Amino acid sequence: MSSTPRPTRAASLPRRAGRHLRRALGARRDPLVRPLDRSRSRAWAAALLGLLLALSAAVGAALLSFHAADHDASADRARLHRVDAVLLTATRPGNAANSRWAGGYESRADVTVSWTYPDGQQHTGRAEAPRSATAGSTVTVWVDDDGGRADPPATRVGVAVEAVCTSLSGFAALAAALGGGLALRLRALDRRADQEWQRSWARLEPLWSGRGSRSPGGPQEG
């Protein structure tokens, strides 16, 4: 004997969303639907609309942030230069122990290096090098137009990842606020529904149980 499989919870979500939307817009005529039910549907529809707007804002913010940061990175790439620097000291274990790479999974250390830029001007600073590097070996460093040490410019991938992560954080905060507002609204509607049920029960229970006909002022049975 075959039976029709019941729809999963995920598959029924679009149907439930459509039902809430039709009820919120007044397109669904059902004599059993109470005003409170329509208020709940309006709350769900408002939260869904807010979520879509928040998602659109997050996408727009990500694009704007990416273009602005990529423009700055392009400007940095235009003014920065890569030069070869010579290690003045070897990356001995004692030197590496106090570096920011110590204990990490990357075999690198901060060492003192020297480079010439521009026009033969000598500069000295700190740079990252493999822990196996020896004095006199070279590493590549980034410098500005004056020859000063500079951080490498951001890559397009790094800029994109940062923009997406920042936008997702903002979207998550907005979604949490919308979820909290929806929960408070639904809780208030539940309290109102409970109060209306109690009032209706207090009015109808005596008639349903027959206690109203046995009240002192009511008609007496013969």
Side-chain angles (χ1 to χ4, degrees):
M1 180 177 181
S2 61
S3 60
T4 303
R6 298 180 61 183
T8 61
R9 185 180 182 88
S12 63
L13 287 179
R15 185 180 304 174
R16 294 174 58 189
R19 183 170 64 249
H20 278 299
L21 182 59
R22 291 193 302 272
R23 184 182 296 169
L25 298 176
R28 184 178 181 181
R29 303 297 180 182
D30 190 340
L32 298 180
V33 174
R34 302 168 299 174
L36 278 173
D37 297 328
R38 292 192 176 89
S39 296
R40 286 194 181 92
S41 295
R42 292 191 187 100
W44 279 104
L48 179 59
L49 178 60
L51 193 64
L52 292 177
L53 291 176
L55 180 60
S56 300
V59 172
L63 292 176
L64 291 176
S65 176
F66 171 76
H67 287 302
D70 187 56
H71 180 270
D72 294 339
S74 297
D76 288 339
R77 285 190 289 269
R79 69 178 181 83
L80 298 180
H81 314 277
R82 298 178 65 177
V83 298
D84 290 333
V86 179
L87 273 70
L88 300 181
T89 57
T91 55
R92 296 188 302 272
N95 294 339
N98 296 324
S99 73
R100 55 178 163 167
W101 302 97
Y105 61 88
E106 296 197 39
S107 300
R108 303 185 68 83
D110 292 337
V111 294
T112 302
V113 296
S114 175
W115 64 91
T116 302
Y117 189 89
D119 299 333
Q121 186 176 357
Q122 191 79 14
H123 297 272
T124 303
R126 303 287 289 178
E128 300 163 5
R131 290 186 180 179
S132 59
T134 59
S137 58
T138 60
V139 294
T140 301
V141 297
W142 287 87
V143 298
D144 56 24
D145 290 333
D146 297 327
R149 184 77 168 84
D151 293 328
T155 63
R156 289 179 65 89
V157 174
V159 169
V161 170
E162 184 177 0
V164 170
C165 291
T166 302
S167 299
L168 285 178
S169 299
F171 173 73
L174 291 175
L178 288 171
L182 177 62
L184 291 176
R185 177 59 177 166
L186 293 178
R187 188 174 302 174
L189 292 174
D190 288 340
R191 287 196 299 266
R192 187 188 304 177
D194 185 63
Q195 293 170 359
E196 290 186 1
W197 183 88
Q198 292 180 5
R199 287 194 296 266
S200 299
W201 180 253
R203 185 179 68 255
L204 298 176
E205 190 274 337
L207 301 176
W208 172 76
S209 63
R211 289 190 300 109
S213 61
R214 296 193 297 270
S215 61
Q220 302 294 325
E221 296 181 359

